[in-house]
Amino acid sequence: MIPSDIYLERMLSFAREAGGIALDLIEDSDPGLKKDHSIITLADKAISKLARAKLSDFLQSPDHILIDEEDPGIIEYLDQKRLDQASFIWAVDPIDGTRLYANRMPLFGISIGLIKDLKPWLGVVYFPMLKELFYCDGAEAYFVKDAFGADENKTRIVPLDEELSARSLFFCNDTFFDKFYWNDKDFHIMIHACAVVNLCWPSIGRGVGCFLRCHLWDFAGSWPIIRKAGINLRRISDGKVLDRIEADLFNREPLSWHLKEYYLISSERNFHKILSKIGNKP
């Protein structure tokens, strides 16, 4: 039985090295388009390769599988029987906020999550240009300023339940207005186009939550972190909390591992208050 600190040490090492790669390549990232018209850069490819190398010893065991955004073969794991056989599911997003990264903007992150027995367990999200790190060791979650430097400043993330006010900000993705509208009389919406920003920032009081429908790798690293802040992914259709991985929750085509439904991420108290501000377009 490998202790959690061994896994976490590997994840932090990956995030630090991946951050170095991202910073080295940001001025000449050679952005291109994938078949689904999403953006891919040299950094995505290099960090994906790094993840497989860093986790190679774990992945030799059938108990471990890796869901990596840049791996074209990941659809084979989108099967409940296969997931049930895996004690550990690694999910990696080499660059989250790739459009921002390709435009040399600082709000991009590197995310790695480790799901144990289909439930969120360990998570690391690193913002290289901000030098900010969020991580969960399985028992507690932490926010680190000046991460991986001599002046690191670490604080424990504790449950937050900010009361909504005119100061409050709520985050969403850039496709929100395709199907929904927002009543902003009481508090306001903001779009970053980066899932890990939308998820991690509310865990330290930067915003009250977010609205998303995304891929597993977009939220796997943040998932255990936000839960330590008292924030959960709740399905807007019925308010059910997402607390374990099930194959039926995700689409196979045209985007594999993409959530079928929309989720609102917030504290329990604020869920219905925020949901009341979201309207469906006719």
Side-chain angles (χ1 to χ4, degrees):
M1 189 70 178
I2 300 175
S4 61
D5 59 338
I6 298 297
Y7 290 124
L8 182 63
E9 181 181 353
R10 191 74 59 89
M11 296 165 77
L12 290 169
S13 175
F14 161 75
R16 179 180 58 79
E17 292 185 38
I21 291 172
L23 293 178
D24 287 344
L25 295 176
I26 192 169
E27 293 298 329
D28 190 16
S29 65
D30 190 26
L33 295 179
K34 294 186 278 190
K35 290 182 180 180
D36 63 0
H37 299 288
S38 62
I39 300 169
I40 187 169
T41 68
L42 291 177
D44 291 281
K45 297 173 185 178
I47 294 171
S48 174
K49 185 177 179 181
L50 173 68
R52 195 159 292 277
K54 278 283 187 182
L55 303 177
S56 61
D57 53 341
F58 300 136
L59 297 176
Q60 291 177 14
S61 166
D63 288 338
H64 291 255
I65 61 175
L66 172 61
I67 311 296
D68 172 5
E69 179 183 9
E70 306 309 334
D71 178 2
I74 52 176
I75 194 171
E76 71 177 271
Y77 299 123
L78 192 46
D79 175 84
Q80 193 61 46
K81 290 183 179 179
R82 181 67 183 92
L83 294 177
D84 289 339
Q85 293 169 356
S87 299
F88 301 96
I89 301 170
W90 299 86
V92 172
D93 193 343
I95 298 284
D96 189 276
T98 314
R99 187 184 305 119
L100 299 172
Y101 177 80
N103 284 281
R104 302 179 301 282
M105 296 179 181
L107 290 185
F108 66 89
I110 292 156
S111 175
I112 180 169
L114 182 55
I115 297 162
K116 181 181 180 183
D117 298 327
L118 303 181
K119 296 181 179 181
W121 186 36
L122 307 179
V124 173
V125 179
Y126 179 41
F127 298 92
M129 291 193 75
L130 303 180
K131 297 183 180 179
E132 293 185 349
L133 173 74
F134 295 76
Y135 75 90
C136 177
D137 64 9
E140 303 287 351
Y142 299 91
F143 169 57
V144 185
K145 294 180 181 179
D146 296 316
F148 305 119
D151 298 320
E152 274 194 350
N153 183 358
K154 181 173 73 173
T155 56
R156 186 168 66 90
I157 293 174
V158 297
L160 298 173
D161 194 10
E162 180 181 338
E163 186 171 349
L164 301 178
S165 71
R167 183 184 69 85
S168 302
L169 289 171
F170 180 71
F171 307 137
C172 69
N173 56 19
D174 50 3
T175 60
F176 175 87
F177 291 101
D178 292 344
K179 293 189 176 182
F180 304 95
Y181 66 88
W182 177 256
N183 178 351
D184 66 354
K185 292 180 181 179
D186 300 317
F187 56 101
H188 298 273
I189 202 166
M190 178 178 285
I191 298 176
H192 291 114
C194 180
V196 290
V197 167
N198 294 348
L199 289 160
C200 287
W201 279 14
S203 73
I204 56 171
R206 295 176 183 168
V208 295
C210 70
F211 184 87
L212 55 74
R213 180 186 175 201
C214 60
H215 297 88
L216 173 63
W217 49 81
D218 290 315
F219 69 86
S222 310
W223 197 9
I225 297 166
I226 64 174
R227 286 171 65 88
K228 297 301 179 182
I231 299 173
N232 274 300
L233 286 83
R234 290 180 171 84
R235 195 160 55 192
I236 66 166
S237 60
D238 58 9
K240 183 178 180 181
V241 171
L242 179 62
D243 57 7
R244 71 190 306 271
I245 292 297
E246 297 176 10
D248 287 345
L249 296 173
F250 301 91
N251 288 312
R252 294 182 63 87
E253 295 180 350
L255 301 174
S256 66
W257 286 102
H258 192 255
L259 286 168
K260 292 179 179 178
E261 297 196 48
Y262 291 92
Y263 287 78
L264 194 161
I265 292 83
S266 71
S267 67
E268 182 178 5
R269 180 180 69 165
N270 285 337
F271 174 75
H272 289 290
K273 294 179 181 179
I274 296 172
L275 188 60
S276 71
K277 305 298 178 185
I278 298 172
N280 292 294
K281 286 188 175 180

